[in-house]
Amino acid sequence: GAGVSQTPSNKVTEKGKYVELRCDPISGHTALYWYRQSLGQGPEFLIYFQGTGAADDSGLPNDRFFAVRPEGSVSTLKIQRTERGDSAVYLCASSLWGYNSPLHFGNGTRLTVT
Amino acid sequence: AQSVTQLDSQVPVFEEAPVELRCNYSSSVSVYLFWYVQYPNQGLQLLLKYLSGSTLVKGINGFEAEFNKSQTSFHLRKPSVHISDTAEYFCAVSDWGAQKLVFGQGTRLTINP
């Protein structure tokens, strides 16, 4: 079946611009996660949703970052006034609800801020 | 706060040799432990997980890991590697009842013929 889909796969933007990154989770997965992976590092937690609500947004680095999941399926990560330090691969994952349900990751969106 | 340390950033081994990728964690509470693998140009996928019970956990592709609570370790092993095992391996931890994972920095496993 279809896995987690992330679009675009690559995004180049200028410093100061606004970007949106999209994630389509696996159908039926109620939990959705966003992670950020910088070069040479492991994924770093940003936010996760249970259904439509953000259950934990403690990883969002500052108020320039915001994510929504209005219908409990597709999610959009929004970054305002991008900075060069925001350059990274943004990973989305989804899972069934439950602490022992494995996360299924997408291939990520590589964001480059010039 | 939780943290995960993967002691080796790169591990080169010859094909058919055994391999161990080391992982240590710190947490003030009981944890779940995971290993994820990222093959070139692919997304992360679950290799194996420890939730409770037997401390020796078997995963896909012949990998296994052993949870050692006293040493706060969860090392990954394979008795004989193949070229196809070339990938980046990530150890991760989550608190009991928590949903978010904390990942280590990753270990790049390179298999030489």
Side-chain angles (χ1 to χ4, degrees):
Chain A
V4 176
S5 175
Q6 292 187 247
T7 54
S9 55
N10 281 283
K11 176 70 177 179
V12 180
T13 191
E14 293 180 348
K15 179 176 176 295
K17 299 290 188 181
Y18 167 83
V19 296
E20 289 189 353
L21 311 180
R22 177 188 168 104
C23 173
D24 281 89
I26 292 173
S27 178
H29 280 190
T30 56
L32 183 145
Y33 308 76
W34 284 100
Y35 284 81
R36 177 170 70 174
Q37 187 173 17
S38 301
L39 194 63
Q41 303 295 316
E44 173 191 9
F45 171 79
L46 295 177
I47 185 172
Y48 98 88
F49 291 86
Q50 171 56 22
T52 60
D56 184 346
D57 65 356
S58 62
L60 294 177
N62 52 59
D63 61 6
R64 296 187 297 106
F65 288 74
F66 190 70
V68 295
R69 195 186 185 199
E71 297 178 359
S73 178
V74 171
S75 177
T76 305
L77 178 66
K78 308 180 181 193
I79 310 174
Q80 298 178 323
R81 305 184 303 281
T82 51
E83 300 177 357
R84 291 194 180 88
D86 298 335
S87 297
V89 176
Y90 289 81
L91 299 171
C92 178
S94 70
S95 74
L96 296 169
W97 177 247
Y99 51 81
N100 61 351
S101 297
L103 271 61
H104 297 261
F105 282 85
N107 286 354
T109 294
R110 182 176 299 278
L111 176 66
T112 303
V113 182
T114 62
Chain B
Q2 296 167 318
S3 67
V4 176
T5 302
Q6 292 185 243
L7 297 163
D8 306 294
S9 59
Q10 296 187 64
V11 173
V13 296
F14 288 106
E15 194 173 15
E16 298 183 8
V19 70
E20 178 179 82
L21 306 184
R22 296 179 292 170
C23 172
N24 286 86
Y25 69 92
S26 67
S27 177
S28 59
V29 297
S30 296
V31 297
Y32 301 130
L33 293 156
F34 306 81
W35 277 96
Y36 279 80
V37 59
Q38 188 170 31
Y39 297 106
N41 302 314
Q42 294 186 30
L44 287 156
Q45 59 181 271
L46 182 66
L47 201 56
L48 49 78
K49 61 185 178 184
Y50 171 79
L51 303 179
S52 63
S54 173
T55 56
L56 183 62
V57 180
K58 294 189 184 298
I60 61 172
N61 301 337
F63 284 91
E64 63 182 31
E66 185 155 21
F67 170 54
N68 188 319
K69 187 174 182 179
S70 63
Q71 297 187 3
T72 60
S73 68
F74 191 55
H75 301 331
L76 181 70
R77 302 186 184 100
K78 186 170 182 177
S80 175
V81 295
H82 303 285
I83 293 285
S84 59
D85 292 323
T86 295
E88 186 107 25
Y89 291 80
F90 293 93
C91 182
V93 63
S94 72
D95 288 343
W96 274 20
Q99 288 291 115
K100 71 181 186 185
L101 295 179
V102 174
F103 285 86
Q105 292 184 310
T107 297
R108 183 170 297 277
L109 178 62
T110 304
I111 312 299
N112 298 308

